[in-house]
Amino acid sequence: MNDMVQRLLSGDIRAAGRIMRIIDDRGPEARTLLKEIYPHGGRAYVIGVTGAPGVGKSTLVDRMVDHLRKDGKTVGVLAVDPTSPFSGGAILGDRVRMQRHSTDDGVFIRSIATRGHFGGLSQSTRSMIDVLDAMGKDVIIVETVGVGQDEVEVAAAAHTTIITVIPGMGDEIQAIKAGILEVGDVFVVNKCDREGADQTRRELEMMLDMEGRIQRDSGWRPRIVKTNALTDFGIDTLLEETDRHRHYLFHENDERLNRYLSTKHRSELMDLVKAEILERLMAPIEANGELSDIIRDLMKRKTDPYSVCDRLLQKHCGL
């Protein structure tokens, strides 16, 4: 076994950071490392936290880490941020909001750039979940970038998905859109000291009743929790509801758990296959200058992207 993987399995923070850097940079040894790491995962509980920008996700996650550590659980946090157009790195750096945990060996926090991936989670993020899992973290929290309705991919990677909204900014309208409503297991009305918090909660309750989610999930009705992360209000209740969903998933509904696992592994496999096919197909085309000629013809409307796609697949893949 690779020495770096051995150190990771023993909980070495530096090994974890080094492996994550290799994964994020798409280093040549990344796949070999991940192949060795994968069999050692499957034990951590993964919580996804999503919602529109400005709803207080980072502060909420910070408070959740506090409470989980008081319960004796080790925690890994992956904070997905927009990509800097200059450095290619994470532009917001949500770790700044969680600096007080930096000296706690039981907490590992990393900011990850989306690198143009608009679905909320890149393949690097999924791989880093596996790294933290193999490292031995009890709970892994994935805080997504906050792009709104498109951000539903987190549900394929997390056991429990928390949707965060706040009163008064139209977030309740965003939250009731079908995609977001369907992936939420727990809804949080954060900054509940603001006017309209009760109204937002009632609207969410009404939409859940109309949407019929409880029937499809064979008994689980998404919970709605009011919180104020700044004052630590409601965080205990939020984690109680999260733990209740965990119990439901693992002890009350095998069908739901199997559906989650099937969706998770299918999504990961499909993304890996698509990325590998794209890399193997496009790398030689770009290297020999063929791609530049194709782009030039497309710009001049001498051809269309559909015909080019068919030709490339036929020529290079035999499809």
Side-chain angles (χ1 to χ4, degrees):
M1 185 184 293
N2 187 294
D3 177 63
M4 197 158 28
V5 174
Q6 287 184 326
R7 288 190 286 118
L8 171 75
L9 298 180
S10 67
D12 189 291
I13 293 175
R14 291 186 179 182
R18 175 62 180 153
I19 291 172
M20 287 184 179
R21 169 58 64 186
I22 293 170
I23 291 170
D24 210 21
D25 291 343
R26 300 174 186 174
E29 65 268 55
R31 292 174 72 86
T32 301
L33 289 168
L34 288 168
K35 287 177 184 178
E36 292 192 28
I37 289 169
Y38 191 82
H40 300 280
R43 292 170 301 211
Y45 195 73
V46 184
I47 301 173
V49 179
T50 186
V55 298
K57 298 189 296 296
S58 296
T59 307
L60 189 72
V61 170
D62 181 58
R63 293 295 189 181
M64 290 172 67
V65 172
D66 263 349
H67 287 252
L68 289 167
R69 290 297 291 140
K70 287 175 183 176
D71 288 341
K73 293 182 172 64
T74 57
V75 186
V77 178
L78 297 174
V80 185
D81 287 330
T83 303
S84 167
F86 303 105
S87 67
I91 199 169
L92 294 179
D94 278 331
R95 282 178 295 180
V96 172
R97 297 180 178 88
M98 306 178 199
Q99 280 299 312
R100 59 202 182 94
H101 300 296
S102 60
T103 57
D104 185 349
D105 290 339
V107 180
F108 187 101
I109 301 170
R110 185 178 181 92
S111 292
I112 313 166
T114 59
R115 298 189 185 275
H117 191 91
F118 294 107
L121 291 187
S122 64
Q123 182 55 47
S124 292
T125 309
R126 293 189 179 95
S127 298
M128 289 181 192
I129 291 173
D130 291 337
V131 172
L132 290 173
D133 192 354
M135 187 183 182
K137 296 304 179 188
D138 298 316
V139 179
I140 300 169
I141 302 176
V142 182
E143 179 201 336
T144 60
V145 69
V147 295
Q149 190 181 4
D150 291 335
E151 198 161 324
V152 296
E153 289 184 7
V154 67
H159 296 95
T160 300
T161 302
I162 297 173
I163 308 295
T164 312
V165 303
I166 59 173
M169 290 183 62
D171 294 305
E172 57 269 39
I173 304 302
Q174 181 67 42
I176 62 179
K177 291 181 178 178
I180 291 292
L181 193 71
E182 290 175 359
V183 304
D185 300 305
V186 180
F187 287 83
V188 170
V189 181
N190 195 30
K191 304 183 183 180
C192 65
D193 55 326
R194 290 188 177 185
E195 184 179 354
D198 290 332
Q199 176 65 22
T200 299
R201 179 179 182 134
R202 285 193 294 269
E203 289 182 2
L204 286 172
E205 291 274 10
M206 179 181 67
M207 292 307 299
L208 287 170
D209 288 337
M210 292 174 59
E211 200 261 345
R213 166 79 179 271
I214 188 171
Q215 286 79 17
R216 291 205 310 276
D217 277 1
S218 304
W220 177 258
R221 178 188 177 88
R223 307 302 206 258
I224 302 173
V225 180
K226 290 167 62 177
T227 66
N228 187 338
L230 283 175
T231 62
D232 204 29
F233 173 80
I235 307 301
D236 276 335
T237 304
L238 170 60
L239 288 173
E240 286 172 7
E241 297 296 355
T242 302
D243 197 57
R244 187 173 290 143
H245 182 255
R246 177 179 184 169
H247 186 273
Y248 161 80
L249 200 60
F250 282 90
H251 301 290
E252 297 180 23
N253 197 313
D254 291 340
E255 180 185 349
R256 174 73 189 276
L257 178 60
N258 289 333
R259 189 164 71 241
Y260 157 75
L261 291 172
S262 175
T263 301
K264 174 182 182 294
H265 292 298
R266 177 184 174 86
S267 174
E268 289 178 354
L269 178 61
M270 295 297 287
D271 283 350
L272 279 172
V273 170
K274 285 187 288 187
E276 192 64 21
I277 289 175
L278 183 63
E279 177 67 24
R280 295 189 186 189
L281 172 66
M282 298 307 296
I285 295 172
E286 191 167 4
N288 64 21
E290 184 181 354
L291 181 60
S292 297
D293 295 336
I294 290 171
I295 298 301
R296 190 159 43 247
D297 287 344
L298 287 171
M299 291 169 63
K300 295 178 179 179
R301 301 280 172 169
K302 289 183 177 180
T303 185
D304 63 88
Y306 311 101
S307 299
V308 172
C309 178
D310 292 340
R311 177 165 56 83
L312 290 175
L313 290 175
Q314 175 64 38
K315 178 181 178 182
H316 297 277
C317 302
L319 299 176

